[in-house]
Amino acid sequence: MAKKKTVRRGGGNEELNITSMMDMMTIILVFLLKSYSAEDISVQGNDDLVLPVSTSLKPPKLAVNVIVSRAQVLVDGEPVLSLVEEADPTTGQPVIKVPEAAKRGAKIIELYDKLVAKAEQAKRLGERAGNDQFDFKGQVLLQCDKRLPFAVIREVMYTAGQAQFGEFRFVVIKGSG
Amino acid sequence: MTQEKEDPEEKLNLSILITPNGFTLTGADKVLPPDSETDGPRIPCLDAGCRSPESYDYHALTERLKKVKDRYESEENVIFVPDGGVPYEVLVLTMDAARDDQEDKDDQGKARTLFPYVVIAAGVQ
């Protein structure tokens, strides 16, 4: 039986062309980064932050992340304000509130300042990117503890609205539906 | 019972008031008229005083909204007017009840859409 011989061309000093490999890796990297940034948000549950369960199927979008737990308000992970627990004057029951000293009317001053800075930053980034996808759209992801009274969330939403964030997406835990 | 269809000139402005006593539906600039003596605009909680988020009658709310949707087929917006003391969880469960009817699914398993677009009003102070 005749054996086939493998013939090597060009001798043993051949260099590997990695340009096409680099192109491919770059495309994969961009794809992965885009996938992660579009679909993943950080949710850190604890005793003070229990998210409600919902039948909603919409995936979250990347936006400014505002967390309202039973203890504090955070913007993109940075604590902005501590909430207080006081007795309700009519029922005597303990109720979580935004401290009066932290507000001007229904506007929460520290939160307003933080969100205005975020809005300005997002607008600058949008201008530099020169791409509609990165334009400032005034969207907020709200992660709120399910036991909070609506009055607290109303003040947070009102403050965000004053700081040019007019579209809210509530983060929930996906339940059966 | 005859079901009147949507008048193109008539704006619905469907609103759901979420109070410590249950839901109240308003629309077309008035409290929605009851369809029968037992089917009024107010949907009380299943227990007196609405002691927990589960006390609210979300099933009855969906049933009422289905009747409103039958009449205003193209309408998709709803305004929520929650009381300040209502827990946030009630708001989310009310959104679920108003969004679609999970008991009425098509061949692809998609629930019938009711009022998916929510505007939250300042509420009762």
Side-chain angles (χ1 to χ4, degrees), chain A residues 128-147:
Chain A
R128 278 186 206 162
N131 184 333
D132 290 352
Q133 192 188 344
F134 298 103
D135 278 353
F136 174 70
K137 297 183 183 73
Q139 293 177 338
V140 170
L141 274 182
L142 263 181
Q143 296 182 43
C144 306
D145 184 274
K146 66 180 186 181
R147 300 156 291 182

Side-chain angles (χ1 to χ4, degrees), chain B residues 21-24 38 40-47 50 55-58 60:
Chain B
N21 301 311
F23 303 114
T24 301
T38 58
R42 288 178 183 83
I43 301 169
C45 284
L46 298 168
D47 62 34
C50 303
S55 306
Y56 285 80
D57 196 346
Y58 305 104

Side-chain angles (χ1 to χ4, degrees), chain B residues 53-89:
Chain B
E54 292 78 25
S55 306
Y56 285 80
D57 196 346
Y58 305 104
H59 184 262
L61 176 65
T62 304
E63 290 300 313
R64 282 303 317 274
L65 292 175
K66 278 160 66 179
K67 291 179 182 171
V68 177
K69 186 73 177 181
D70 288 341
R71 187 169 162 184
Y72 296 88
E73 286 169 356
S74 62
E75 189 65 54
E76 293 192 307
N77 301 317
V78 59
I79 303 164
F80 283 3
V81 189
D83 182 278
V86 168
Y88 168 60
E89 187 177 13

Side-chain angles (χ1 to χ4, degrees), chain A residues 28 55 67 72-73 93 116 118 133-135 160 174:
Chain A
I28 292 171
T55 57
I67 296 174
Q72 58 185 349
V73 179
Q93 295 289 318
V116 166
K118 288 279 176 190
Q133 192 188 344
F134 298 103
D135 278 353
K174 196 169 138 184

Side-chain angles (χ1 to χ4, degrees), chain A residues 13-172:
Chain A
N13 207 17
E14 194 173 303
E15 287 185 5
L16 182 67
N17 183 356
I18 62 165
T19 310
S20 55
M21 186 78 82
M22 288 294 288
D23 285 349
M24 194 176 73
M25 289 302 291
T26 308
I27 289 166
I28 292 171
L29 185 64
V30 169
F31 170 76
L32 287 174
L33 284 174
K34 197 165 165 49
S35 302
Y36 281 122
S37 67
E39 301 206 353
D40 276 14
I41 58 157
S42 162
V43 176
Q44 293 175 335
N46 56 48
D47 288 348
D48 288 326
L49 180 62
V50 180
L51 298 180
V53 176
S54 168
T55 57
S56 176
L57 298 172
K58 282 195 171 179
K61 283 185 178 176
L62 195 67
V64 171
N65 199 4
V66 176
I67 296 174
V68 190
S69 76
R70 286 165 63 85
Q72 58 185 349
V73 179
L74 301 96
V75 176
D76 283 344
E78 286 180 47
V80 172
L81 174 79
S82 292
L83 302 176
V84 293
E85 196 167 348
E86 290 175 358
D88 186 270
T90 49
T91 63
Q93 295 289 318
V95 180
I96 293 172
K97 290 179 174 177
V98 176
E100 287 300 324
K103 297 189 292 185
R104 190 176 301 142
K107 190 162 83 178
I108 306 165
I109 307 301
E110 292 283 323
L111 179 62
Y112 174 78
D113 292 344
K114 189 80 183 171
L115 288 175
V116 166
K118 288 279 176 190
E120 295 303 324
Q121 188 185 22
K123 282 178 188 170
R124 279 198 302 274
L125 277 171
E127 282 169 14
R128 278 186 206 162
N131 184 333
D132 290 352
Q133 192 188 344
F134 298 103
D135 278 353
F136 174 70
K137 297 183 183 73
Q139 293 177 338
V140 170
L141 274 182
L142 263 181
Q143 296 182 43
C144 306
D145 184 274
K146 66 180 186 181
R147 300 156 291 182
L148 279 172
F150 176 68
V152 173
I153 295 160
R154 176 175 58 205
E155 287 170 350
V156 169
M157 291 173 73
Y158 174 78
T159 303
Q162 295 291 304
Q164 304 171 55
F165 289 91
E167 195 180 317
F168 302 93
R169 289 171 183 269
F170 296 105
V171 180
V172 291

Side-chain angles (χ1 to χ4, degrees), chain B residues 84-104:
Chain B
V86 168
Y88 168 60
E89 187 177 13
V90 173
L91 188 71
V92 172
L93 293 173
T94 308
M95 282 186 206
D96 287 349
R99 184 187 311 109
D100 48 35
D101 176 17
Q102 292 292 333
E103 292 175 1
D104 183 2

